[in-house]
Amino acid sequence: MSIDSSTARPTTRRPASPGPEFGQALLPGTETGTEGMRQRLMILRGRLERCATVLRAHKEIATRAPRTDALALDLVRDDQRLLRDVQQCDDEAGEIDDVLIEFFEELMAGDLKSVRRRQEAERLSGQIGVSPLYSPGWNSVDEISETFAHASSPLLSVEGGSLFEPTALFVKRYAEHATFTRTMRKDVILWLAALWEVVIEALNGPLLQEPTLMDLEGIDELHHSQFEQLIADLLDRDGYRIIRSGGGAGDMGADVLAADPLGRFVMVQAKHFTGGGGSVGQPVVQHLYGGAMATHPSTLPVVVTNGRLTGGAKGWAAEDFRARLIGREELRRWAENGESLESVLKGTGPA
């Protein structure tokens, strides 16, 4: 018997009939927020690990070529167990795929201000919900099951457990169906592996990172490059798209260049002093302002420091609202208290 190889696995999944090892709830979750989502992903990871373990246990059977000259009852029973576990793991993978779709829909329906997190959610959600191409055996799962059941029938067995007088046609069909079952196992393993990658990347990547917060004491101990990264993380937290982080030759005074949701540039000069014991004067603000205007007239220049702002810097920046200044107290509100940049800047000039 042949099966059309051009067909794919049916998109309508058969009703699940999980055994005891598959019967636990997928997402019991009592926690809410980021920690609740992390717990839910951990549960899904455990389900994927369990399915992978079940299918790995059939490795010896799967690598053994079906006999085409005779049948043996013990081998038939092995194939029956393999088919059962392949079907159960396929159902499990389908359920996990559905749950992940709901997970990402729920996540993106929330207030994902962080551009980095939103992009990660969109990337990972694009990797699920698309039924993988399956081998043609999936179109005849019921027929394969009937073949195995007939081969294990006591009516065909004699004392000693061996089968007798199966027709050559039946033996050929059995071998073909056993081969299909082994290929189906590979299909499910590939699907589980794809889901595993999504879950692990969601757990270990930026998706579930807590909003950036740091107290002034911790900020005072940072290296200058870490201070620049903190500013970039705070901007990302508040919904800005980071274009460049880290200053260097030709940066026109900008250590961080970002864009707000409307595409307007924000150019940040970071001035860090160990222990907070330094000051930023007027020349720094002037240099940044010149670079901002050369980038685009609508660019917002912002100087951020954990030190002190001199009177000259404040006076020059305030004239015609040339630049915005975030000193030690504003930095505390932004980084330690979690206020948005927009809120912090309201007291330093027009929003």
Side-chain angles (χ1 to χ4, degrees):
M1 174 178 292
S2 62
I3 299 178
D4 183 4
S5 61
S6 66
T7 58
R9 172 181 174 275
T11 55
T12 302
R13 189 174 295 113
R14 66 181 179 80
S17 54
E21 70 270 31
F22 296 94
Q24 301 174 12
L26 281 173
L27 295 177
T30 57
E31 295 286 340
T32 59
T34 300
E35 184 56 33
M37 289 187 168
R38 186 177 301 279
Q39 287 187 11
R40 291 158 67 184
L41 288 173
M42 293 288 287
I43 292 170
L44 294 182
R45 187 180 72 173
R47 305 297 293 181
L48 291 167
E49 286 177 338
R50 181 169 300 181
C51 275
T53 299
V54 168
L55 294 181
R56 279 197 298 268
H58 291 286
K59 182 177 180 180
E60 182 180 349
I61 300 169
T63 56
R64 184 175 61 209
R67 294 180 59 177
T68 57
D69 59 336
L71 298 173
L73 189 56
D74 57 338
L75 302 184
V76 170
R77 288 171 178 163
D78 285 345
D79 286 335
Q80 282 184 305
R81 285 190 289 268
L82 172 59
L83 178 63
R84 178 204 65 196
D85 288 344
V86 164
Q87 289 179 294
Q88 287 182 330
C89 286
D90 176 62
D91 285 331
E92 189 80 348
E95 289 181 23
I96 292 172
D97 193 275
D98 292 341
V99 170
L100 282 173
I101 291 173
E102 295 176 3
F103 175 88
F104 286 111
E105 287 178 346
E106 176 185 338
L107 185 67
M108 289 187 286
D111 189 14
L112 266 186
K113 288 185 178 179
S114 166
V115 175
R116 182 170 60 237
R117 290 181 65 201
R118 186 168 62 250
Q119 289 175 340
E120 182 72 355
E122 291 171 351
R123 183 183 72 84
L124 292 176
S125 65
Q127 298 179 24
I128 57 176
V130 179
S131 184
L133 292 178
Y134 268 48
S135 57
W138 290 96
N139 291 327
S140 298
V141 169
D142 292 339
E143 190 176 344
I144 294 171
S145 181
E146 290 176 2
T147 297
F148 290 171
H150 181 67
S152 63
S153 171
L155 297 177
L156 295 181
S157 65
V158 295
E159 189 173 344
S162 60
L163 300 175
F164 72 99
E165 295 183 354
T167 65
L169 180 61
F170 180 77
V171 172
K172 179 181 179 183
R173 181 174 67 177
Y174 184 93
E176 184 181 38
H177 285 182
T179 299
F180 281 143
T181 303
R182 285 151 174 75
T183 303
M184 290 155 61
R185 172 181 175 269
K186 293 180 182 178
D187 293 338
V188 178
I189 288 175
L190 289 175
W191 193 7
L192 292 173
L195 294 173
W196 172 267
E197 288 298 321
V198 171
V199 170
I200 294 303
E201 289 184 34
L203 281 169
N204 298 336
L207 188 65
L208 298 182
Q209 288 180 358
E210 293 287 352
T212 300
L213 294 172
M214 181 173 287
D215 58 37
L216 274 179
E217 289 71 19
I219 292 174
D220 288 343
E221 299 302 318
L222 295 177
H223 183 272
H224 183 75
S225 62
Q226 294 173 316
F227 186 55
E228 292 176 355
Q229 185 59 54
L230 172 65
I231 292 171
D233 290 342
L234 289 168
L235 286 165
D236 174 78
R237 181 199 72 187
D238 292 346
Y240 291 80
R241 177 173 57 89
I242 306 304
I243 299 171
R244 177 172 57 78
S245 177
D251 63 12
M252 295 186 291
D255 294 311
V256 180
L257 181 63
D260 69 11
L262 297 178
R264 297 172 297 194
F265 293 120
V266 176
M267 185 177 282
V268 181
Q269 171 72 282
K271 287 297 181 182
H272 182 268
F273 302 97
T274 302
S279 62
V280 176
Q282 178 178 329
V284 171
V285 185
Q286 287 178 312
H287 179 53
L288 178 65
Y289 177 78
M293 294 306 98
T295 300
H296 194 279
S298 67
T299 299
L300 177 66
V302 181
V303 175
V304 181
T305 182
N306 68 322
R308 186 175 64 87
L309 294 161
T310 67
K314 293 178 180 178
W316 194 90
E319 188 174 333
D320 296 327
F321 300 111
R322 290 171 173 151
R324 309 297 175 84
L325 305 181
I326 294 181
R328 196 165 177 83
E329 184 53 38
E330 292 82 13
L331 183 59
R332 183 191 300 277
R333 291 167 53 197
W334 191 25
E336 187 172 329
N337 298 345
E339 288 189 41
S340 69
L341 178 63
E342 180 181 3
S343 173
V344 171
L345 291 180
K346 281 182 178 179
T348 64

